[in-house]
Amino acid sequence: MTRTSIALTLALVATFALAGCGKKPAVKESDSQRARAVRVVKVEPRQIIGSLTASGVLTPREEAAVLPEVTGYRVARVLVDAGQYVRAGQTLVKLDGALIAAQVEQQGALAAQSAIQAEQAEAQAARVKGLDGQGVLSQEQLDQRRFQARAARATANAQAAAYKDARTRAGKLAVTAPVSGLVLERNVRPGELSAGGATPWFRIAQGGEIELLAELSEEDLARVRPGQRASVVLSTGTSAEGTVRLVSPQVNAQSKLGTVRIRLPVRADIRSGGYGRALFADAVGQSLAVPETAVRYDADGASVMVVGADNRVKRVTVQTGPRGSGLVSLIKGPPAGSRVVLNAAAFLLDGDMVRPTEGPVPAPKSASAKK
C-alpha cells in the first residue's frame, strides 16, 4: 500500500470516530407524556353516616316540685338535702304542730257536742211521729220538732267535716316526697313559716333520670327517630351512650329549631344544668360529597382540584359540611358529576395536565384496621 492510500484510510477512520462522539438529537416530549397519573372521583350524592351532631343542656326527664300544703306553720326540721335520693312518701320537712294540735282537739269536741244535740233533736222528733191530725200538738209544733232535728243533724255533719279537715291538715305537717328520685334543689330552712309561693321547697328528678335536651334544625330532625342511638360527650370530656326518647313534633317559629330528648344512664357525673354534645352514629344523610382526602386546606381555605374535559386541573374553592364514613359533604363547590383529584396532597398547580384514572371511592378504615 502506498503512502497516499494509507493517509486516506487514516483520514476516513478519524472522520467516522469524530462522528460517533457527537451528541444525538434530543427527542421532545409532549404535554400528555409529561402529565402526572392521578386517581379521580366524581362529585355525586352519597350517604354520610354519623355526620349529625347536636348540642344542648342536661335536664331532668320528669321534675317534681315540693311545696307545703298548709300555710302559717313554722318549719321544725329539714330532713334531707340536695344530692340525696329519696323515696316516694318519705318525709322531707316536719312542721311545728303545736297550734294545729289544739285546733284538732277543739274541733273534735265541737263535733262530739253537735252529734249529741242532733241525737237529742232526732229523738224528740221521733216521739211525735204519727200524731199528725190527732190534736195532741199543733201541726206547727210537730213541724218545728222535725225541722230542728234536721237542722241539728246538718250542724253535726258540718262539725264532723271540720274535724276531719283539721285532722287532715295536721297530717300535712309532714311534707313528703311525691316521687322517688334525686333531690336537685333545696330552698327551705328551719324556722321559716310555710306559705304558698312560686318557689318550691324542693326540686326532685324522678328516678334520678337526667337526659339531654338538644336542638336541631328542621332538616336534621327528619334524620332522627325515637330509639336511635346517640353518644353524648359531657363537658368533662367523658361520654355516655344514650337513646332518643322523644323527637319534637314542632319547631320554634323564630329560631326554626326543634328539640330532641336523649335518655341517658343514671350516673353521678351526669348533672342537671350541664352541657352535652350528641353524636348520632347511625343517622344517615345524603348530599353531594367527596372523600376527605380530596379536600385540600391552606391559607385560602378549603378547595378541590377539578379535572376538566381537557384533563387540566383547576383549583375550586369549596365550603364543607357534615363529615362521616370518610366523606365530607360540599355545601358549595363544583357541580355534581365533576371529576376531582382523589389525593389533594398531590403537587398540582392550576393548569397542570394529568392522566386521570377513575375508580370507586375507597371504603373508610374500620376501627380494628386503625389499631
Side-chain angles (χ1 to χ4, degrees):
M1 182 178 297
T2 64
R3 289 183 179 181
T4 302
S5 60
I6 293 174
L8 289 173
T9 302
L10 292 175
L12 289 174
V13 172
T15 302
F16 285 119
L18 289 175
C21 294
K23 294 183 179 179
K24 296 181 179 180
V27 179
K28 187 176 181 181
E29 293 183 349
S30 63
D31 290 342
S32 59
Q33 290 175 326
R34 290 197 305 267
R36 182 192 300 270
V38 295
R39 285 190 62 190
V40 296
V41 293
K42 288 185 177 180
V43 178
E44 57 187 6
R46 293 186 174 92
Q47 287 188 342
I48 300 180
I49 302 176
S51 62
L52 180 60
T53 61
S55 59
V57 295
L58 299 171
T59 181
R61 175 179 176 178
E62 293 289 345
E63 183 179 314
V66 181
L67 286 164
E69 297 184 56
V70 291
T71 59
Y73 298 95
R74 193 169 301 278
V75 175
R77 295 176 61 193
V78 180
L79 304 178
V80 299
D81 208 340
Q84 293 182 255
Y85 278 87
V86 296
R87 64 182 183 279
Q90 179 179 339
T91 300
L92 308 180
V93 174
K94 286 187 176 180
L95 302 177
D96 187 357
L99 293 177
I100 199 169
Q103 295 175 3
V104 171
E105 291 182 4
Q106 181 182 12
Q107 196 60 53
L110 291 175
Q113 181 182 8
S114 298
I116 293 173
Q117 292 175 349
E119 291 176 1
Q120 182 182 9
E122 289 171 346
Q124 291 176 354
R127 293 191 189 100
V128 297
K129 186 177 182 179
L131 297 181
D132 297 82
Q134 296 183 10
V136 178
L137 292 173
S138 65
Q139 189 63 39
E140 181 179 358
Q141 292 175 320
L142 295 176
D143 292 340
Q144 183 178 7
R145 288 194 179 189
R146 291 166 183 160
F147 290 147
Q148 287 177 345
R150 292 167 60 185
R153 177 51 61 188
T155 301
N157 291 339
Q159 292 293 348
Y163 178 45
K164 182 179 180 181
D165 176 69
R167 287 187 289 114
T168 301
R169 287 188 291 114
K172 298 298 182 180
L173 294 177
V175 180
T176 60
V179 296
S180 299
L182 175 66
V183 178
L184 300 176
E185 185 178 328
R186 165 193 160 181
N187 297 303
V188 60
R189 296 173 297 177
E192 293 182 353
L193 286 177
S194 61
T199 303
W201 278 4
F202 296 94
R203 289 175 49 240
I204 301 176
Q206 185 172 355
E209 295 184 45
I210 306 296
E211 58 187 16
L212 180 68
L213 181 62
E215 290 186 328
L216 291 170
S217 65
E218 184 176 4
E219 179 183 355
D220 289 337
L221 280 178
R223 299 168 58 187
V224 181
R225 64 188 184 281
Q228 187 172 344
R229 295 182 297 107
S231 179
V232 176
V233 180
L234 307 177
S235 57
T236 58
T238 59
S239 61
E241 296 301 319
T243 55
V244 176
R245 181 179 69 85
L246 180 66
V247 179
S248 173
Q250 62 179 357
V251 296
N252 186 280
Q254 283 73 37
S255 65
K256 302 302 180 182
L257 298 176
T259 56
V260 173
R261 286 185 171 269
I262 302 173
R263 182 187 294 114
L264 298 173
V266 178
R267 286 181 6 191
D269 61 335
I270 301 178
R271 297 179 175 88
S272 177
Y275 170 85
R277 183 171 58 87
L279 170 64
F280 300 89
D282 54 349
V284 177
Q286 190 163 359
S287 61
L288 291 179
V290 295
E292 290 182 334
T293 57
V295 182
R296 180 165 58 183
Y297 299 91
D298 52 28
D300 296 327
S303 63
V304 294
M305 301 302 289
V306 178
V307 180
D310 57 355
N311 289 340
R312 293 188 180 276
V313 297
K314 179 182 179 181
R315 181 183 180 275
V316 176
T317 302
V318 297
Q319 180 181 349
T320 60
R323 301 168 179 267
S325 307
L327 302 173
V328 56
S329 63
L330 301 181
I331 299 176
K332 292 182 180 179
S338 300
R339 298 182 301 170
V340 299
V341 179
L342 177 62
N343 186 4
F347 297 100
L348 295 174
L349 300 175
D350 275 358
D352 286 352
M353 179 170 284
V354 295
R355 286 184 287 116
T357 302
E358 293 188 17
V361 177
K365 294 182 181 180
S366 62
S368 59
K370 293 180 181 180
K371 295 182 180 179

